Amino acid sequence: MAQAAAVAKPPAPPRRRRASATPRRLPYLLIAPAALLMLGFIAYPVLSVFWYSLRDYNPTKPWRNGFAGLDNFTRIFTEDPLFRDTLVFSAKWVFVEVGLQLMFGLALALIVNQTFVGRALGRALVFSPWAVSGVLTSAIWVLLYNSQTGITRYLADMGIGEYGVSWLSDTSTVFPAAVVADLWRGVPFFAILILADLQSVSKDLYEAAEVDGAGRLKQFWHITLPHLKDAIILSTLLRAVWEFNNVDLLYTLTGGGPAGSTTTLPLYIANTSVDAHDFGYASALTTVAFVILLFCSMVYLRLSKFGGEK
């Protein structure tokens, strides 16, 4: 009987093994080394700038180094007219460049999005300037604006203008010349991003609009632009930050001249730190520029309703 009862007894249910937490943590463990390296390479320089902004630090005059508190910031807003001038020019530079780059980039994206013979070659030609480095771009336009061998000489040969004219040395022409040079490299950025977003627009929308009698202009205004809203907002924000921090092009083309007429705030910071060795004051200027960019970016994203309904 005991043996029969033992045989008839149902087997005990298997124990559930406790789910290990390791598989859930594995992705974070794998990216931890890269994340720590990025944090170190980004956080340390940022914190260093904030720290040096509160100090007087000039390696050539070590006897003056020490804690300065908010003196550098007081000097910026009360004693430094160059800060206001360079900030105003930076705003002008960003507004003009980003506006023109967006306009021409949108036009090029709409053109190369059409079907035509040689479209692949046309897209390659449109996007090729973006593959050129900033230093090489500056070198190309320095040669093009050379008064002896550049554009002005060929124009003078055709009876337009005079020989020996340098557009980069004249305060009335240096700004348009620098704008054109930067447009050549900046327009493809907008064209690439906008074209990528145009590829996702359903052709059925345009076909339905044509059936309803909508012309090209109405299709562009009511279908294309609403679909491109987020792409335009993001690209203009990124490009505005990059143009605000643009140093290499203006430094190579004009060096901030003539008479400081093309000196942006980042270029002023570079001259203050590298040429004058006043790293404490340059760090304070950098901190102010960081706060300005952060504030303007937050306001822009809020007003533009990025990520909202199209």
Side-chain angles (χ1 to χ4, degrees):
M1 295 294 292
Q3 292 180 353
V7 172
K9 186 178 181 180
R15 288 185 176 182
R16 293 184 179 180
R17 293 184 178 181
R18 182 179 295 178
S20 176
T22 302
R24 289 180 296 177
R25 297 175 182 174
L26 183 59
Y28 301 100
L29 293 175
L30 291 176
I31 66 173
L36 290 175
L37 285 175
M38 291 181 62
L39 183 63
F41 280 107
I42 295 176
Y44 176 75
V46 171
L47 294 176
S48 297
V49 169
F50 290 156
W51 169 246
Y52 282 112
S53 67
L54 302 175
R55 298 177 58 85
D56 288 325
Y57 183 70
N58 189 330
T60 62
K61 300 176 182 178
W63 60 89
R64 294 185 179 178
N65 295 344
F67 186 75
L70 300 178
D71 291 347
N72 288 327
F73 296 97
T74 303
R75 175 183 167 190
I76 290 174
F77 294 107
T78 61
E79 303 176 11
D80 190 357
L82 290 178
F83 168 74
R84 293 186 291 272
D85 294 341
T86 55
L87 183 60
V88 170
F89 178 76
S90 297
K92 175 183 175 182
W93 173 262
V94 170
F95 181 79
V96 173
E97 278 293 342
V98 174
L100 292 177
Q101 289 177 21
L102 172 62
M103 182 176 63
F104 289 116
L106 177 60
L108 284 177
L110 292 173
I111 291 173
V112 297
N113 190 47
Q114 304 299 317
T115 301
F116 56 89
V117 178
R119 184 174 69 170
L121 178 60
R123 288 182 175 181
L125 293 176
V126 169
F127 300 152
S128 57
W130 184 247
V132 181
S133 67
V135 176
L136 184 56
T137 300
S138 303
I140 292 172
W141 285 94
V142 165
L143 293 175
L144 288 174
Y145 287 145
N146 187 283
S147 59
Q148 303 299 324
T149 60
I151 300 173
T152 55
R153 177 180 177 180
Y154 291 100
L155 291 176
D157 291 339
M158 294 184 294
I160 304 174
E162 301 177 355
Y163 289 99
V165 176
S166 177
W167 290 344
L168 298 178
S169 301
D170 190 342
T171 54
S172 62
T173 57
V174 63
F175 182 73
V179 166
V180 171
D182 199 48
L183 280 177
W184 180 78
R185 186 169 184 264
V187 167
F189 170 77
F190 283 95
I192 293 170
L193 289 184
I194 294 175
L195 178 63
D197 205 27
L198 281 174
Q199 303 297 308
S200 62
V201 182
S202 176
K203 294 182 179 179
D204 295 339
L205 296 175
Y206 294 105
E207 293 175 357
E210 289 182 0
V211 172
D212 292 339
R216 289 292 183 90
L217 184 60
K218 288 187 176 180
Q219 293 178 24
F220 172 77
W221 188 259
H222 295 287
I223 298 176
T224 305
L225 272 186
H227 186 86
L228 296 176
K229 173 190 171 185
D230 285 348
I232 291 175
I233 293 173
L234 182 61
S235 59
T236 51
L237 177 60
L238 290 176
R239 196 59 188 162
V241 173
W242 293 343
E243 288 296 344
F244 184 88
N245 293 320
N246 190 342
V247 173
D248 54 354
L249 180 73
L250 290 174
Y251 183 82
T252 306
L253 284 179
T254 67
S261 58
T262 58
T263 302
T264 59
L265 181 57
L267 185 55
Y268 177 46
I269 293 172
N271 293 334
T272 303
S273 58
V274 177
D275 296 338
H277 305 290
D278 194 350
F279 292 96
Y281 188 63
S283 298
L285 289 169
T286 304
T287 302
V288 173
F290 170 78
V291 173
I292 292 173
L293 282 178
L294 180 62
F295 175 77
C296 292
S297 300
M298 293 174 62
V299 171
Y300 179 69
L301 290 176
R302 184 66 180 272
L303 294 178
S304 61
K305 298 180 181 179
F306 177 72
E309 296 183 1
K310 297 180 180 179

